[in-house]
Amino acid sequence: MAAPSNRKFLGRLSLPERNYVAEALRTETVGGVLLLVAAIAALLFVNTPLSDVYNDVKSFSFGPSSLHLHLSVGAWAQDGLLTIFFFVAGIELKRELVAGELRDPKAAALPVIAAVCGMVVPALVYTAVSFSGGGSLGGWAVPTATDIAFALAVLAVIGSSLPAALRAFLLTLAVVDDLFAILIIAVFFTTNINLVALALSFVGLALFWVLHRKGVHGWYIYVPLAMVIWGLMHASGVHATVAGVAMGLMLRCTVREGEQHSPAEHIEHLVRPLSAGLAVPLFALFAAGVSISGGAVADVFTKPETLGVVLGLLVGKTIGVFGGSWLAARFTKAELNDELAWADVLAVASLAGIGFTVSLLIGELAFPDDPLLADEVKAAVLIGSVLAAVCAGVLLKLRNNKYKKLYEEEERDDDQDGIPDIYELDKPEYHLRMAAIYEKKAAEHRRLAEVTASQTTSESDGPA
């Protein structure tokens, strides 16, 4: 009996998974462009005479003090708007676990190991650089995250037609990154805990779960309940974005009889544009405003904390994701897709070094007592992410002709039935349809040839 063939790493996605990835990344790409615009706007505001207006708006506070919610605009963006982002991340993670790349433990091993290595190695790089330079080790988590929206914006700018398998791998990396990032925030950046508020937030989450499982519908029920849960989580001392992930994970991702889409898919379809198009860009507008004068940029490469962040994103992420992928494939005996090369994995690994949104968030949380260092770390995040984007852009451009051919093959639909031909090659009905199309085209060509021949004969028989 023949030995079973080895599993493929970065093999072709199933059609439903391919369609989901295409739809999700389409929204994230638009959001990524808005994110870039917001970040550039923030830098312009801070580094021009408009800086005073920008800082006044960012520090303006409002909200009920009795509920511990008298927050600045910047804090509302960080604690409130990013909760929407992490809510979507929770839905993505739940879907990956139930119906996506993470549902099969063997298939999940590769992207999970790559993502974990892609977080551990940057943390080690930061720690080594900062420790050797006598700097603070508090920012070890800053270079561990990947910003999928920013990464997709880079792909859009450079015009790379990345194949679906590589896009899905990047998306899975980002989803696992988001999970571990929220765990890091919850465990390492929580100090004083109000147990009563935390217990009440858990009660709210339990009520959310029960109502959802009972099939109760209506945004007018869930939105107020979500706001109460968020407020209680914020008052507990645990970062409020944890509430978003928890609620996202509670949504049902399976389809029941009579349903076209699962509740999670429906809600994600509604909320993702709000997250990518509004919440994250507004957070970036108030988080990315740092000075980038010549002296400030030079300091990024001389201070151990900031240099650790830059090298963590630029070097640590690339080595971690690529090395983790190679080791996982090596020890699980998974064969790389024949149409791709390890150079493609290296390019995606360098793209994972763009750690914008979550890295900025962790940068603010890591140095609460040193605002100057926090701003310098945010500048390091910007510089490290830009350098990683440039390196990834160069590597992707070197392979772009290959990507275009693969992408065109993936999207080809000669029979125009809405399903790419590559998914129908083994179906007899597909070949029957194509035979009919070819016969129709051949008949059309014969008819045109006969008309042309007839006209030629008429002209030759006419008067001289």
Side-chain angles (χ1 to χ4, degrees):
M1 184 173 67
S5 59
N6 288 340
R7 206 163 28 83
K8 289 291 184 183
F9 174 40
L10 298 177
R12 185 189 307 158
L13 304 176
S14 65
L15 183 59
E17 185 69 8
R18 175 250 183 207
N19 291 339
Y20 168 80
V21 169
E23 177 63 27
L25 297 188
R26 191 176 297 114
T27 304
E28 292 290 354
T29 300
V30 175
V33 174
L34 294 175
L35 179 64
L36 286 175
V37 172
I40 293 170
L43 293 172
L44 290 174
F45 282 137
V46 170
N47 293 278
T48 63
L50 294 172
S51 60
D52 289 340
V53 176
Y54 173 87
N55 290 324
D56 287 343
V57 172
K58 181 179 178 180
S59 59
F60 177 78
S61 299
F62 63 96
S65 300
S66 58
L67 298 178
H68 305 280
L69 293 176
H70 188 71
L71 307 174
S72 67
V73 171
W76 277 109
Q78 175 184 298
D79 295 345
L81 292 177
L82 273 196
T83 301
I84 301 173
F85 166 79
F86 278 109
F87 175 68
V88 175
I91 297 176
E92 287 177 336
L93 177 63
K94 179 69 174 287
R95 190 202 159 278
E96 288 286 331
L97 291 169
V98 173
E101 290 293 295
L102 303 181
R103 72 186 183 280
D104 177 9
K106 291 183 178 179
L110 282 157
V112 169
I113 291 173
V116 170
C117 291
M119 299 187 80
V120 171
V121 176
L124 292 176
V125 169
Y126 174 92
T127 301
V129 173
S130 191
F131 180 77
S132 62
S136 169
L137 301 182
W140 62 271
V142 175
T144 59
T146 294
D147 193 312
I148 183 66
F150 204 143
L152 291 171
V154 171
L155 290 177
V157 169
I158 66 174
S160 178
S161 303
L162 209 60
L166 288 175
R167 289 177 180 265
F169 180 59
L170 183 60
L171 179 61
T172 304
L173 283 176
V175 169
V176 177
D177 263 9
D178 289 339
L179 169 65
F180 282 102
I182 203 68
L183 290 175
I184 288 171
I185 290 170
V187 173
F188 294 99
F189 297 104
T190 298
T191 51
N192 300 319
I193 298 181
N194 184 327
L195 294 178
V196 174
L198 185 61
L200 289 174
S201 70
F202 286 157
V203 171
L205 287 169
L207 178 59
F208 184 97
W209 184 83
V210 170
L211 291 174
H212 183 62
R213 290 294 162 181
K214 293 293 183 180
V216 176
H217 300 288
W219 65 267
Y220 46 85
I221 295 174
Y222 290 101
V223 171
L225 178 58
M227 293 176 67
V228 170
I229 294 169
W230 175 86
L232 289 168
M233 190 69 73
H234 187 277
S236 74
V238 176
H239 202 273
T241 52
V242 174
V245 171
M247 287 184 281
L249 286 170
M250 289 181 176
L251 297 181
R252 175 167 59 84
C253 288
T254 54
V255 179
R256 293 177 179 172
E257 187 176 351
E259 293 179 339
Q260 279 191 319
H261 306 287
S262 68
E265 187 177 356
H266 175 67
I267 294 171
E268 182 186 12
H269 180 73
L270 295 175
V271 179
R272 184 186 285 276
L274 178 63
S275 170
L278 181 67
V280 174
L282 278 179
F283 166 75
L285 181 63
F286 293 108
V290 294
S291 174
I292 54 171
S293 63
V297 172
D299 287 345
V300 166
F301 295 97
T302 56
K303 288 191 174 183
E305 296 92 348
T306 51
L307 181 60
V309 169
V310 172
L311 293 179
L313 290 170
L314 182 61
V315 180
K317 266 290 184 182
T318 304
I319 293 176
V321 172
F322 179 80
S325 301
W326 187 86
L327 288 172
R330 176 75 174 82
F331 288 105
T332 61
K333 297 182 179 180
E335 296 177 353
L336 185 65
N337 185 349
D338 295 335
E339 296 175 331
L340 299 172
W342 283 106
D344 302 312
V345 182
L346 180 65
V348 172
S350 61
L351 199 61
I354 301 173
F356 192 76
T357 304
V358 180
S359 290
L360 289 175
L361 172 62
I362 296 177
E364 290 193 355
L365 299 176
F367 304 102
D369 301 323
D370 193 343
L372 178 60
L373 182 56
D375 279 348
E376 291 171 340
V377 165
K378 288 196 290 184
V381 169
L382 295 175
I383 292 172
S385 296
V386 169
L387 291 176
V390 171
C391 289
V394 172
L395 293 174
L396 291 169
K397 272 299 184 183
L398 292 176
R399 297 275 293 171
N400 205 38
N401 288 335
K402 175 70 173 178
Y403 294 155
K404 284 182 177 179
K405 292 179 182 178
L406 292 176
Y407 184 78
E408 289 170 359
E409 188 67 23
E410 289 175 355
E411 297 297 315
R412 187 175 177 181
D413 184 17
D414 286 342
D415 59 347
Q416 297 182 345
D417 64 346
I419 300 175
D421 296 341
I422 199 169
Y423 290 95
E424 300 185 287
L425 293 178
D426 57 345
K427 296 180 179 179
E429 58 269 25
Y430 166 76
H431 294 285
L432 290 174
R433 285 199 304 270
M434 292 306 300
I437 291 171
Y438 291 144
E439 178 57 33
K440 184 177 180 181
K441 288 182 178 179
E444 183 67 19
H445 286 309
R446 287 195 297 270
R447 188 184 69 80
L448 290 174
E450 290 171 0
V451 170
T452 302
S454 175
Q455 290 176 344
T456 302
T457 302
S458 299
E459 291 173 358
S460 61
D461 292 341

